[in-house]
Amino acid sequence: MTTSTHSTNKTITHILGYPRVGDKRELKFAQEQYWKGQINQAQLKQVGSDLRQRHWNDQSTSGLSYVAAGDFAWYDHVLSTSLLLGHVPARHSNGGFPDLDTLFKVARGQSASEGDSCGCGSVHGSDHAGDNNGAAAGDMTKWFNTNYHYIVPEFSQEDSFQVSWPQLFEEVNQAIQAGHKVKPVLLGPLSYLYLGKEINAEEVDNGFDRLSLLPRLLSAYQAILSKLKSLGVEWVQIDEPILSLELEDKWSNAFKLAYQILQSDVKILLTTYFDSVEDNLAKIVELNVDGLHIDLSASPQQLEAVNAAIPQDWVLSVGVINGRNVWRADLQTWLEKLQPVKAQRGDKLWVASSCSLLHSPIDLELETDLSEEVKSWFAFAKQKLNEVSLLGAALDGNGHAIEACATYSQPIKDRLTATHVNKPQVQQRLKGLTKALTQRSASYPERAQHQAQVLGLPLLPTTTIGSFPQTADIRQQRSAFRRGQLNADDYQQALKGHIQDAVKRQEALDLDVLVHGEAERNDMVEYFAENLAGFQVTQFGWVQSYGSRCVKPAIVVADIEREKSITVDWSVYAQSLTSKQMKGMLTGPVTILCWTFPREDITRKQIADQLAFALRDEVEDLQRAGINIIQIDEPAIREGLPLKKRDHKAYLDWAVDAFKISASSAKPETQIHTHMCYSEFNEIIDSVAALDADVITIETSRSNMALLKAFEEFNYPNEIGPGVYDIHSPNIPSQQWIVSLLKTAATKIPIERLWVNPDCGLKTRNWTETEASLKNMVAAAKTLRQLYQVTDTVKAEELETELS
Ligand code: GLN
Ligand code: ZN
């Protein structure tokens, strides 16, 4: 007799996925060795297998009900899905079944060389792109609003899908063999289609839509589910994260049929994350699935509506442990919130991480430099396993667990009122924030006049975006300094040497506005995080960005304050070496926010405002120290956009304000630049204009066409520097090419408002390439100056012919 339902069964606990790279980034190093031919495929596979075993053991020993399998990926899980489905671009396929080398070909291009990342956070596709003769890598783009990048599936009309790659089944088997209870993870068919793109323009013109491939795709998914069933699997997690978007009807309507067809003997947990699913809830409840997972960390308010709407016999998996941040969960508060749901749903309530833990660093225990207090605020992936498990036990009424939840949550609660976290002086300043603080003291036309007088720049002024080659010397010195092998004075001296060198070279090139070169910065965000109070950096807090690339974002732990100037000494030193204008170089508040782990106890806007004030003081100090041009980089402003369009405006409003607070301590004669690593401004164009920077430099150099297009869409009211060459490529742009690009630009932007510059910082290039390219760039600007300043039409015509 089984009449009592709720108390007998343990609450099911699970995670949506685990980081793959290994706590010491073992996978990264093995991949890179394999690509260089230093280890063979068997050795690489062994590394992967060991990692998976470890990850499953960690999940099991923490007491989770299931371990996740199929979450491991050799490069990216969307790409794994493509291989599983036998859906490999023709240019990478050898006709037979795909294998690991096929996967790397799609990821990295046919004859991939390991490129460098330019520090843009956004990935430019060249790092993993093959050469022009080989088969280019698949495109890469951001995974929703995270800093993870996936390989974009390519669809065309004749595509077929057929289970082709056994990795998933092998891994599920491995986990079962190892004695774990396994819940495989699959990217759902609709999200898979949605995240891809049609590649053939002609087909699209003829009405082809990738959604039409759904029936074919579903047969393959059915085969996958049957196979999983035959392995003894009970539950499959099918990720459909697009359900948290504002979907067009044709997409949301497609779900019903899809999940009807997918009906199989395995139970399906439909997983959503990163935002609320309320928009699609009415359609979700009609689906033929056995449970729904929602992200309560991103959207706690959806709990009630979802719980009320979904059928009683469905599992409701609540994602409460944030997979995207480093903070310890307030388990006690969650416990209280979930107890009524538990009482109502019984063992149909599951407890989980909000999303895959892929986006969180791996093991807090490795951190030896954090204070006990700071450590007591954090939980990385491994610690999050325990959180999920503990919360599950507490919901089951386990007295120890309930008590443990309370003790565990105490540090997070104490933090809320700690004055070294919530600093009265910072809060005071934030309270005094008025609209006036966001306004420059004069309008752009007026400022431009002042600046013309003070700066004395020629028509088409030339400049660069900030960083110069991070040479082996620079990197060695930095790491020697960090290891304590080089003392602070010697390190300073070395950096000054690099600045001198950069200034000398820029003078020789005859650039108009110089930069100091950023030799002192390892990374444009980390540098500011290290020099502002309120941040914590970690030793091993790596998170996968794409493929073997990982980033180690700093963490905002307290109210942010600038205790001393950060860049002023470097800029002043650089300025002392030249009579040309030296451009100060700052990273903007929104970019610092987007590329670090934010606090969860205050809003993103509040963090951005705190950063803005700190940077505002830096702008003021730079200006007072005689720096007349200051660039505030904001490459991340676009990627900070929320997932739902209706939330965009609110974000853009505060993001723009934060930038303006930083910039508007500048006097009219101080010229503010900003830089963004792209040129598609479509939906943010008004906001970019609203930044009211005197000069914006952007990326437009990929092709002539791109440049034209950028200016059809982007009508920047102030001055603009369209990047005239691609710094992501080692190719040297010819003078003629640059001239032609600039002439194109000049048809769209009045020449008096046009600047000449590369499309991003030069840190990943070497000096030989850099000097050769800049030489042509400066020559191009000079030629055009002549052309445009010649009033005599005959002479102008002569020049024209000479140039063409
Ligand atoms: N000033 C930075 C640099 O030149 C800008 C880089 C960026 O926007 N990603 O490296
Ligand atoms: Zn850039």
Side-chain angles (χ1 to χ4, degrees):
M1 280 232 311
T2 52
T3 42
S4 99
T5 46
H6 301 174
S7 51
T8 44
N9 294 331
K10 210 173 142 278
T11 295
I12 300 281
T13 51
H14 69 125
I15 56 162
L16 271 49
Y18 201 70
R20 306 132 187 176
V21 286
D23 50 19
K24 298 273 167 52
R25 287 181 293 159
E26 293 90 327
L27 186 60
K28 168 199 174 66
F29 297 119
Q31 280 168 322
E32 289 172 358
Q33 279 179 317
Y34 178 69
W35 295 336
K36 287 189 201 130
Q38 293 164 347
I39 59 171
N40 62 33
Q41 201 175 99
Q43 290 168 305
L44 174 62
K45 284 190 165 164
Q46 190 57 46
V47 173
S49 164
D50 291 348
L51 282 169
R52 289 193 298 271
Q53 298 286 0
R54 219 199 289 160
H55 300 157
W56 292 327
N57 279 337
D58 287 344
Q59 291 168 57
S60 282
T61 26
S62 309
L64 296 187
S65 315
Y66 287 101
V67 302
D71 55 338
F72 179 85
W74 290 106
Y75 199 96
D76 153 50
H77 56 273
V78 181
L79 178 56
S80 305
T81 310
S82 292
L83 265 80
L84 170 64
L85 297 165
H87 183 236
V88 171
R91 66 184 182 284
H92 298 121
S93 171
N94 54 10
F97 283 115
D99 62 9
L100 201 49
D101 289 324
T102 322
L103 182 141
F104 289 140
K105 262 186 230 164
V106 186
R108 311 173 63 238
Q110 199 80 300
S111 49
S113 59
E114 244 341 70
D116 306 277
S117 140
C118 77
C120 291
S122 62
V123 177
H124 295 265
S126 54
D127 167 83
H128 67 298
D131 63 35
N132 296 331
N133 307 316
D139 257 0
M140 189 148 63
T141 195
K142 277 166 75 74
W143 176 245
F144 298 88
N145 55 357
T146 71
N147 282 323
Y148 176 83
H149 303 77
Y150 70 93
I151 304 286
V152 180
E154 299 176 8
F155 295 107
S156 70
Q157 211 155 351
E158 300 308 322
D159 285 358
S160 60
F161 307 92
Q162 187 184 16
V163 182
S164 301
W165 199 43
Q167 190 202 344
L168 172 69
F169 311 112
E170 285 170 8
E171 290 178 7
V172 168
N173 241 333
Q174 269 176 17
I176 293 174
Q177 297 304 319
H180 303 290
K181 214 170 143 193
V182 185
K183 178 205 57 183
V185 179
L186 261 183
L187 177 59
L190 281 152
S191 293
Y192 179 71
L193 279 175
Y194 187 92
L195 294 169
K197 61 173 183 192
E198 291 88 0
I199 43 160
N200 190 329
E202 208 176 303
E203 289 177 356
V204 175
D205 288 344
N206 292 331
F208 169 63
D209 177 341
R210 61 192 186 283
L211 189 52
S212 67
L213 297 171
L214 183 63
R216 267 179 252 170
L217 184 59
L218 288 172
S219 324
Y221 269 84
Q222 263 175 325
I224 296 170
L225 294 182
S226 311
K227 175 92 183 143
L228 289 173
K229 172 72 190 169
S230 72
L231 295 176
V233 162
E234 188 190 356
W235 278 93
V236 177
Q237 166 187 328
I238 301 192
D239 285 1
E240 290 286 12
I242 62 167
L243 284 169
S244 27
L245 304 177
E246 294 158 317
L247 286 177
E248 276 171 75
D249 283 348
K250 69 169 187 184
W251 286 98
S252 59
N253 289 337
F255 272 86
K256 186 161 180 182
L257 189 69
Y259 281 81
Q260 220 148 36
I261 291 175
L262 272 194
Q263 188 175 16
S264 81
D265 292 338
V266 281
K267 292 187 185 145
I268 294 176
L269 177 69
L270 185 71
T271 29
T272 66
Y273 37 86
F274 300 151
D275 209 333
S276 150
V277 296
E278 281 167 284
D279 290 13
N280 296 308
L281 194 51
K283 286 177 180 153
I284 291 175
V285 299
E286 304 209 302
L287 301 183
N288 201 343
V289 298
D290 306 278
L292 175 71
H293 170 92
I294 51 172
D295 183 340
L296 290 185
S297 174
S299 171
Q301 71 284 353
Q302 64 177 328
L303 174 61
E304 218 173 310
V306 172
N307 186 33
I310 65 169
Q312 273 308 311
D313 60 345
W314 277 21
V315 159
L316 173 62
S317 166
V318 286
V320 293
I321 305 303
N322 192 351
R324 297 183 53 171
N325 211 334
V326 295
W327 295 92
R328 191 180 266 215
D330 180 350
L331 294 181
Q332 170 143 44
T333 304
W334 278 120
L335 178 62
E336 285 158 17
K337 229 186 249 180
L338 293 176
Q339 267 159 343
V341 189
K342 173 77 191 172
Q344 174 219 339
R345 291 199 99 84
D347 50 16
K348 297 282 182 214
L349 177 73
W350 291 15
V351 174
S353 62
S354 65
C355 57
S356 169
L357 301 179
L358 176 64
H359 313 289
S360 136
I362 303 178
D363 188 3
L364 181 61
E365 288 316 315
L366 298 176
E367 301 297 326
T368 51
D369 290 353
L370 298 179
S371 72
E372 279 310 308
E373 184 190 33
V374 168
K375 241 174 148 167
S376 76
W377 295 339
F378 296 160
F380 294 177
K382 205 169 165 187
Q383 289 69 40
K384 288 173 194 285
L385 302 176
N386 293 327
E387 294 186 338
V388 175
S389 177
L390 186 58
L391 184 56
L395 278 168
D396 289 334
N398 174 323
H400 284 303
I402 293 174
E403 219 169 282
C405 277
T407 330
Y408 185 81
S409 311
Q410 201 53 49
I412 283 292
K413 292 190 193 297
D414 293 343
R415 233 186 121 254
L416 295 175
T417 48
T419 51
H420 61 297
V421 172
N422 303 286
K423 304 171 184 164
Q425 65 281 18
V426 178
Q427 314 243 324
Q428 199 53 39
R429 195 160 180 207
L430 246 62
K431 272 198 205 114
L433 178 54
T434 58
K435 202 72 190 166
L437 280 178
T438 67
Q439 304 297 345
R440 294 284 297 268
S441 60
S443 67
Y444 168 74
E446 205 180 310
R447 301 195 305 262
Q449 278 176 15
H450 287 286
Q451 289 163 19
Q453 274 167 18
V454 173
L455 301 178
L457 297 172
L459 185 71
L460 296 168
T462 53
T463 190
T464 60
I465 306 304
S467 57
F468 273 124
Q470 290 259 328
T471 58
D473 262 3
I474 298 180
R475 281 184 296 215
Q476 268 154 21
Q477 286 153 350
R478 182 182 306 123
S479 76
F481 171 62
R482 290 197 165 172
R483 284 197 307 267
Q485 291 159 346
L486 189 66
N487 70 37
D489 284 347
D490 291 346
Y491 182 53
Q492 294 273 37
Q493 256 347 94
L495 291 175
K496 282 189 168 176
H498 296 302
I499 294 177
Q500 264 174 35
D501 178 52
V503 170
K504 217 185 269 158
R505 292 182 199 249
Q506 292 173 86
E507 291 207 309
L509 286 163
D510 204 20
L511 284 154
D512 301 307
V513 172
L514 311 196
V515 295
H516 77 287
E518 302 180 27
E520 78 287 7
R521 301 178 196 181
N522 174 38
D523 170 273
M524 62 187 290
V525 167
E526 187 184 54
Y527 179 72
F528 286 91
E530 281 176 344
N531 285 284
L532 288 166
F535 283 94
Q536 183 71 59
V537 290
T538 62
Q539 294 159 278
F540 301 101
W542 296 100
V543 178
Q544 186 181 14
S545 166
Y546 66 96
S548 67
R549 300 281 171 157
C550 299
V551 293
K552 189 156 67 66
I555 305 166
V556 188
V557 290
D559 284 347
I560 295 159
E561 253 184 316
R562 192 195 70 141
E563 290 172 330
K564 52 182 188 334
S565 71
I566 300 170
T567 64
V568 178
D569 288 350
W570 297 122
S571 290
V572 168
Y573 175 68
Q575 181 68 82
S576 76
L577 302 171
T578 178
S579 55
K580 297 221 164 154
Q581 297 293 341
M582 180 59 60
K583 179 162 66 167
M585 195 59 57
L586 306 176
T587 302
V590 185
T591 298
I592 298 182
L593 171 72
C594 287
W595 291 351
T596 52
F597 285 114
R599 286 166 66 175
E600 291 179 339
D601 56 330
I602 63 174
T603 62
R604 286 167 78 211
K605 170 187 168 17
Q606 284 170 311
I607 302 173
D609 284 344
Q610 294 179 3
L611 283 162
F613 274 118
L615 291 163
R616 178 183 179 90
D617 295 346
E618 186 75 7
V619 167
E620 200 163 336
D621 283 354
L622 281 167
Q623 158 179 276
R624 192 174 304 133
I627 303 297
N628 297 322
I629 304 183
I630 302 168
Q631 178 172 314
I632 307 175
D633 290 323
E634 281 293 21
I637 224 164
R638 186 182 61 176
E639 66 186 61
L641 283 170
L643 286 181
K644 294 197 164 80
K645 287 222 161 56
R646 61 172 174 269
D647 300 329
H648 285 190
K649 186 179 180 305
Y651 159 77
L652 286 169
D653 284 351
W654 63 250
V656 166
D657 274 354
F659 177 90
K660 291 172 79 186
I661 294 165
S662 340
S664 57
S665 57
K667 296 180 292 192
E669 56 270 37
T670 302
Q671 187 171 66
I672 296 289
H673 290 216
T674 190
H675 166 71
M676 295 178 192
C677 305
Y678 44 86
S679 56
E680 294 114 43
F681 291 101
N682 315 336
E683 49 184 346
I684 63 163
I685 179 161
D686 295 334
S687 305
V688 173
L691 296 176
D692 194 28
D694 298 300
V695 182
I696 183 172
T697 56
I698 62 173
E699 174 181 291
T700 46
S701 57
R702 287 307 163 77
S703 69
N704 226 334
M705 284 306 289
L707 186 117
L708 261 176
K709 199 159 165 273
F711 294 107
E712 265 148 29
E713 286 158 5
F714 188 51
N715 189 1
Y716 194 66
N718 306 349
E719 289 155 61
I720 181 161
V724 294
Y725 76 88
D726 179 8
I727 63 96
H728 305 94
S729 145
N731 300 341
I732 313 295
S734 71
Q735 178 185 337
Q736 225 169 10
W737 163 252
I738 299 176
V739 165
S740 76
L741 282 181
L742 284 169
K743 282 167 119 184
T744 309
T747 62
K748 305 275 173 188
I749 305 162
I751 189 105
E752 327 59 71
R753 291 205 268 121
L754 201 52
W755 283 67
V756 181
N757 45 265
D759 70 354
C760 198
L762 294 157
K763 64 192 269 190
T764 59
R765 301 265 63 95
N766 65 38
W767 273 113
T768 315
E769 293 157 351
T770 298
E771 287 181 309
S773 303
L774 291 177
K775 186 168 162 247
N776 292 347
M777 186 187 89
V778 172
K782 287 183 177 169
T783 322
L784 280 173
R785 264 172 219 161
Q786 268 184 317
L787 179 64
Y788 286 98
Q789 277 162 347
V790 172
T791 38
D792 175 342
T793 42
V794 182
K795 234 175 136 206
E797 263 165 37
E798 273 172 28
L799 264 169
E800 256 314 334
T801 13
E802 205 179 297
L803 286 172
S804 55

